[in-house]
Amino acid sequence: MGFLIGRRNIHFSSKIQLGFLVLFVLFLGIFNVTLGLNYTKYRQVSDLRFERIQKHINKINKPSILTIQSPDGDIIDCVHRKKQPAFDHPLLKNHKIQKTPTEKPKMKMVKIDELKEGDNRKGKEIEWQMWHLNGTRCPKGTVPVRRSTVHDVLRSKSLYDFGKKRPRSLTLARRADAPDVVNGNGHEHAIAYTGTSEEIYGAKATINVWDPSIEELNEFSLSQIWVLSGNFDGSDLNSIEAGWQVSPELYGDSRPRLFTYWTSDSYQATGCYNLLCAGFIQINSQIAIGAAISPVSSFQGSQFDITILIWKDPKLGNWWMSFGDDTLVGYWPAELFTHLTDHATMVEWGGEVVNTQANGLHTATQMGSGHFAEDGFGQASYFRNLEVVDSDNSLSAPQDIQILAENINCYDIQSSYNNDWGQHFYYGGPGRSPKCP
Ligand SMILES: *[C@@H]1O[C@H](CO)[C@@H](O)[C@H](O)[C@H]1NC(C)=O
């Protein structure tokens, strides 16, 4: 399948070739040939649409200094830092790249019980991504960008929807006492969240990584941190998000991938996943956003987790993201936001899935490991060492955490606290089952 479209940018020399490709795509659609791309089904595309998609792809894929082929099929382009997609944003035309934040959050409390309860039950931190197996790394001064393909767009509902999260039930007012608003859009959650109207300047957690199975192409399962500000019921919600996700629609496979997201208008016109639109500025040359995470945890076997910290630079107002112990990934420039230019009012941690109710039943799309919270370490997925960043730029365990799961027969959550894991929780579930029909 080396000739399959999407592997490379294609330059059409003649209409005939284009016609052939369209026919081929049509052929794939009719016979539902998957050619190893499990989730990829193709619809008929007109010449015009195909050209529009190709034009968009050419715009978001930037010229690469070096190209690395990942064993999972991804192509990673090492793009000059100053040529990355962010700088297509009209508000960032004159933005000066920050190579480092002015300040990193400080630990408020020193852990005294480093080596006690639960230490041997800690997941190993993941230091690398699938594409690193190639052996070649991106040179200094460049950032690795996962190349987008025509396939990626063809799997999405439309070119407009490509890379965007569909508006979720915005009023997931995160109150179990508001069931009428929490169950919108087929999005289901099992989350922990901070109380409202606090001033929050960032959040951190270490997230167990699994590869939950997804039943339908347009469903996803993710485990992430949300840093939120603005009106949940309005059209001005600001959200910064990061974690891992399995999204066959977005990536064409079922691997868990590191992702970021942002919006400043309640998931409407602004924002996107990863670097699929102008916004996030990456500075790291080794971590590709949207790339597959490896290895992943196995049931009753080795556990792996990733640590993500998001915080606001106290001086410049940019929202930084670091990965692992202390690796800076990049930042969301202050220019992108309205409410978040000040501070966040809520943080959420946890899982979200889409249940399309295909065939009238709850789908068997899994959250976390696919096991319920009560199964605990090695079986259920976890978030550990939840922390928030205060106004003095220091990290501490969040006070009065609340939890919410809309449908505990399908996905649930249990939180607790101990010295080693601090504030933590187990969450997830299998989706459809006798008790989740
Ligand atoms: C690494 O990427 C290069 C460039 O795309 C490719 O030619 C090479 O075969 C890849 N190596 C491995 C070991 O996958």
Side-chain angles (χ1 to χ4, degrees), residues 145-376:
V145 181
R146 179 183 184 268
R147 190 184 291 179
S148 292
T149 68
V150 172
H151 284 301
D152 294 340
V153 181
L154 288 177
R155 282 189 308 269
S156 71
K157 212 169 100 215
S158 69
L159 184 54
Y160 178 79
D161 287 301
F162 173 60
K164 291 207 180 81
K165 229 183 199 181
R166 265 158 237 151
R168 66 169 178 175
S169 46
L170 290 173
T171 43
L172 169 77
R174 294 133 264 229
R175 286 195 314 261
D177 59 346
D180 53 327
V181 291
V182 289
N183 218 348
N185 260 356
H187 290 235
E188 295 179 28
H189 306 79
I191 56 170
Y193 61 100
T194 58
T196 42
S197 35
E198 283 180 46
E199 285 191 16
I200 303 174
Y201 293 83
K204 185 179 183 181
T206 297
I207 312 172
N208 200 193
V209 182
W210 291 83
D211 53 352
S213 67
I214 313 296
E215 185 171 314
E216 296 291 318
L217 169 74
N218 57 353
E219 296 180 329
F220 62 66
S221 179
L222 49 77
S223 296
Q224 64 164 96
I225 302 174
W226 286 262
V227 176
L228 298 155
S229 194
N231 192 347
F232 287 102
D233 304 310
S235 57
D236 62 349
L237 185 71
N238 288 197
S239 184
I240 285 177
E241 310 177 14
W244 61 259
Q245 68 177 164
V246 178
S247 173
E249 179 179 309
L250 197 54
Y251 305 104
D253 66 15
S254 54
R255 299 176 195 280
R257 290 163 179 276
L258 176 71
F259 81 94
T260 59
Y261 197 90
W262 68 275
T263 178
S264 60
D265 66 349
S266 305
Y267 305 88
Q268 297 175 73
T270 63
C272 60
Y273 283 111
N274 308 335
L275 305 182
L276 295 175
C277 66
F280 187 83
I281 297 180
Q282 190 168 334
I283 56 142
N284 190 289
S285 63
Q286 304 306 330
I287 295 172
I289 299 170
I293 298 171
S294 175
V296 301
S297 306
S298 57
F299 189 70
Q300 293 179 339
S302 301
Q303 299 302 303
F304 296 94
D305 51 32
I306 55 173
T307 299
I308 289 173
L309 166 62
I310 296 165
W311 81 99
K312 187 185 168 190
D313 186 314
K315 292 211 174 67
L316 298 172
N318 300 320
W319 287 83
W320 280 86
M321 171 178 164
S322 75
F323 182 82
D325 264 349
D326 206 11
T327 306
L328 294 170
V329 179
Y331 61 92
W332 292 269
E335 291 95 318
L336 299 177
F337 301 106
T338 52
H339 298 284
L340 279 173
T341 47
D342 197 358
H343 55 78
T345 50
M346 186 186 266
V347 172
E348 299 172 359
W349 297 262
E352 177 180 358
V353 299
V354 174
N355 161 36
T356 56
Q357 292 230 286
N359 313 315
L361 296 169
H362 197 292
T363 57
T365 288
Q366 300 175 328
M367 181 191 290
S369 68
H371 288 259
F372 286 112
E374 38 284 9
D375 291 353

Side-chain angles (χ1 to χ4, degrees), residues 8 66-71 74-76 131 133-136:
R8 258 164 253 284
L66 180 72
T67 292
I68 298 167
Q69 172 82 56
S70 172
D74 279 6
I75 293 173
I76 304 294
W131 65 278
L133 292 172
N134 178 290
T136 310

Side-chain angles (χ1 to χ4, degrees), residues 105-111 387-397 399:
K106 307 170 278 285
M107 301 276 286
K108 199 170 249 174
M109 290 171 298
V110 182
K111 270 195 245 147
E387 288 179 298
V388 290
V389 181
D390 304 337
S391 55
D392 63 353
N393 201 28
S394 61
L395 282 161
S396 59
Q399 303 303 311

Side-chain angles (χ1 to χ4, degrees), residues 52-63:
R52 265 179 42 228
I53 292 171
Q54 189 64 56
K55 214 172 131 204
H56 182 73
I57 291 294
N58 291 345
K59 199 181 119 216
I60 60 173
N61 288 333
K62 300 299 176 192

